[in-house]
Amino acid sequence: MKIPEEPANLEKELLKCVRCGSCKVLCPTYQHSALEVTSARGRLVLLRGLLTGDIKPSPLLNERIFSCLLCGACAGKCPLGIDIPEAICHGRALLSKSDKERKQLRTIARFTTRWPDLSFKMLRMSQQVVLPFLYKKELIPFIPEFPEIVHRSRRQVYKSSQKRGRVAVFSGCSVEHLFPHLEEALIHVLNKLGYEVILPKGLVCCGAPLRTLGMEDESVARARKNLSILNKLTVEAVLSLCPTCTLTLKTDYPKMVGKGVENAMDISVFLNDKLEPARAAGKTAVYHDPCHLKYGLGIEREPREMITKAGLELIGPREQGCCGFGGVFCMSQQEMSNTLLTACTTHLKQSESDTVITSCPGCMLQLNRTVTDRPVLHLIELIEETYCFGTADEDVQEKEKTQS
Ligand code: SF4
Ligand code: SF4
């Protein structure tokens, strides 16, 4: 189902639905509201009405379709194989012109994804004035903290003294501008394992925030640009620290433009079998599954194995639900986002773990708002701490040199 071939394909897809309701079971927005119209099945019924003309575009319809998290909890649940998040993306593309409520968000998304360096510089400069004002007006759910240094002299190639292989890193906007230390940690770990790391020049936002807002043409343009760079590289894998970026490169691009980055990979898939078990650290961790990693990419085992290999004991509830971040969702659906965050935090706090570990910068941003009694770490931070420090080798010295 490709958006340029709309709406015939979408209609065909929606006609398959037998309304069994299997897709509703894990839908967070349905669990929150208990309303059929904000469930996976309900949204498909609304889209069908839109295509047949029985339902006209309206602020209420837009609200139902744009209130989906695109978390993917419904994906894979449909016995008829309907790709529900994809259908909802199609619906958003159809509704975007009539959707005045998110017009400002579209302008912001367009600007920040086209000029990310400038945008984040402006945000940083306005940190003390504009962001508190937007927060007070409830236009943003929280005031993000910006790192002091965005990124050091970013080289394009980080060589390793060994020659085990070569990988590329797709940084993604949130890692590059809000958590640059995660990218440094990843490069450090990969170099330590003997991999040469490429940070390809010219990459742009993966396009997911634009697609979320129904800006299909603009997300397609970002996809084509990234593909023209990534698919020319001779690398074992294209790694990302953000499951949304990985999902978009690997799974969404083929739906959008007919081809994707086949070797795009979450770091846990690439690193897991390359790590030896470390000594027990005598510490405990609870792991939070990012939705796009768990439902979108089907990855749950590898991060947990890596935590155990790193010497931590995994405790706490396995299921905590969505943290409610959802990118643009946490800005446009603040009340629902906060409720989901509270429920998720309550589950996480059932365990008295030393740390909370997750694999997504977005989840980190969200969980850091409420989990204040222990650190919330990205998996790569634990891996770097365990496998790169504590042994006086040249990598450690190199890292210290770059930090000074
Ligand atoms: S699981 Fe599939 S067939 Fe059943 S209601 Fe959901 S979309 Fe329709
Ligand atoms: S993507 Fe998530 S929020 Fe949207 S309909 Fe599916 S389960 Fe519900």
Side-chain angles (χ1 to χ4, degrees):
M1 196 173 29
K2 283 191 211 165
I3 292 216
E5 293 162 19
E6 276 302 321
N9 281 356
L10 175 59
E11 188 162 14
K12 213 164 105 194
E13 198 70 8
L14 296 177
L15 274 172
K16 287 196 230 160
C17 176
V18 293
R19 311 208 175 162
C20 67
S22 307
C23 54
K24 288 195 330 185
V25 179
L26 295 175
C27 176
T29 55
Y30 177 64
Q31 286 169 354
H32 170 266
S33 64
L35 291 173
E36 176 68 16
V37 282
T38 49
S39 74
R41 178 175 72 179
R43 291 188 174 104
L44 295 194
V45 172
L46 293 175
L47 288 179
R48 173 102 183 89
L50 177 71
L51 292 185
T52 58
D54 292 339
I55 300 175
K56 302 282 174 234
S58 68
L60 190 58
L61 175 66
N62 293 343
E63 197 52 30
R64 305 302 193 210
I65 302 302
F66 281 93
S67 63
C68 162
L69 273 152
L70 294 175
C71 64
C74 53
K77 293 281 168 223
C78 175
L80 295 157
I82 300 173
D83 186 343
I84 301 158
E86 186 63 13
I88 291 169
C89 279
H90 286 230
R92 291 184 180 187
L94 293 175
L95 289 168
S96 62
K97 284 206 172 65
S98 70
D99 178 45
K100 305 280 179 259
E101 289 75 15
R102 275 152 286 268
K103 205 172 161 198
Q104 279 178 334
L105 272 177
R106 283 189 190 88
T107 307
I108 294 168
R110 185 175 295 121
F111 189 87
T112 49
T113 57
R114 191 172 293 167
W115 295 289
D117 288 348
L118 174 65
S119 307
F120 280 94
K121 196 173 169 190
M122 284 163 58
L123 279 175
R124 184 188 301 270
M125 284 161 58
S126 63
Q127 211 173 160
Q128 305 302 330
V129 187
V130 180
L131 293 181
F133 172 78
L134 295 176
Y135 177 68
K136 211 169 154 195
K137 293 270 169 201
E138 297 185 353
L139 290 169
I140 53 172
F142 58 94
I143 303 174
E145 272 182 36
F146 293 93
E148 280 182 20
I149 302 166
V150 180
H151 42 67
R152 296 168 223 289
S153 59
R154 247 168 149 246
R155 305 205 302 263
Q156 213 183 333
V157 180
Y158 290 76
K159 288 190 183 295
S160 167
S161 48
Q162 309 156 56
K163 288 209 171 63
R164 191 168 173 187
R166 200 167 183 252
V167 292
V169 171
F170 184 91
S171 310
C173 307
S174 55
V175 168
E176 198 170 329
H177 295 281
L178 296 172
F179 299 107
H181 69 285
L182 299 182
E183 187 180 71
E184 291 189 2
L186 177 60
I187 295 169
H188 191 200
V189 169
L190 289 165
N191 277 173
K192 169 101 178 163
L193 288 169
Y195 285 91
E196 181 176 302
V197 182
I198 316 288
L199 297 188
K201 268 201 176 145
L203 292 175
V204 293
C205 165
C206 69
L210 299 166
R211 200 164 195 239
T212 301
L213 287 163
M215 301 158 80
E216 192 63 18
D217 290 348
E218 289 169 73
S219 55
V220 162
R222 306 293 193 281
R224 292 197 200 285
K225 172 81 179 159
N226 288 329
L227 283 166
S228 72
I229 297 167
L230 293 172
N231 281 349
K232 276 193 203 128
L233 298 173
T234 312
V235 289
E236 245 175 78
V238 175
L239 302 176
S240 174
L241 293 155
C242 171
T244 303
C245 293
T246 310
L247 183 69
T248 306
L249 299 179
K250 198 178 181 73
T251 312
D252 290 354
Y253 282 4
K255 298 172 196 167
M256 293 157 66
V257 295
K259 62 178 172 183
V261 182
E262 281 175 22
N263 60 352
M265 227 177 267
D266 182 66
I267 57 143
S268 62
V269 174
F270 186 77
L271 292 175
N272 187 28
D273 64 359
K274 297 172 180 66
L275 299 175
E276 296 296 329
R279 249 180 302 159
K283 289 191 174 165
T284 56
V286 58
Y287 180 70
H288 172 72
D289 285 293
C291 292
H292 285 167
L293 194 65
K294 176 177 174 171
Y295 301 119
L297 295 161
I299 298 167
E300 295 179 70
R301 175 180 58 83
E302 291 86 346
R304 290 182 165 80
E305 281 185 6
M306 284 170 71
I307 293 169
T308 310
K309 276 187 189 173
L312 267 63
E313 186 193 347
L314 262 180
I315 58 169
R318 194 179 169 101
E319 301 291 338
Q320 309 122 22
C322 172
C323 70
F325 181 69
V328 175
F329 177 89
C330 73
M331 288 187 260
S332 62
Q333 304 291 332
Q334 289 188 31
E335 190 248 314
M336 206 181 326
S337 170
N338 289 339
T339 309
L340 293 172
L341 173 61
T342 304
C344 178
T345 307
T346 306
H347 284 118
L348 283 170
K349 287 188 174 173
Q350 278 171 15
S351 79
E352 291 186 0
S353 68
D354 295 306
T355 53
V356 174
I357 297 177
T358 186
S359 303
C360 169
C363 295
M364 284 173 73
L365 267 179
Q366 181 83 334
L367 293 175
N368 267 318
R369 296 170 57 197
T370 47
V371 181
T372 49
D373 59 346
R374 61 198 104 169
V376 178
L377 300 178
H378 192 289
L379 180 61
I380 198 64
E381 293 178 272
L382 170 69
I383 298 306
E384 185 195 35
E385 185 65 37
T386 309
Y387 292 93
C388 297
F389 294 113
T391 52
D393 57 22
E394 58 183 39
D395 284 345
V396 175
Q397 287 158 20
E398 171 73 15
K399 169 126 186 163
E400 283 166 353
K401 245 192 280 165
T402 57
Q403 282 179 337
S404 61

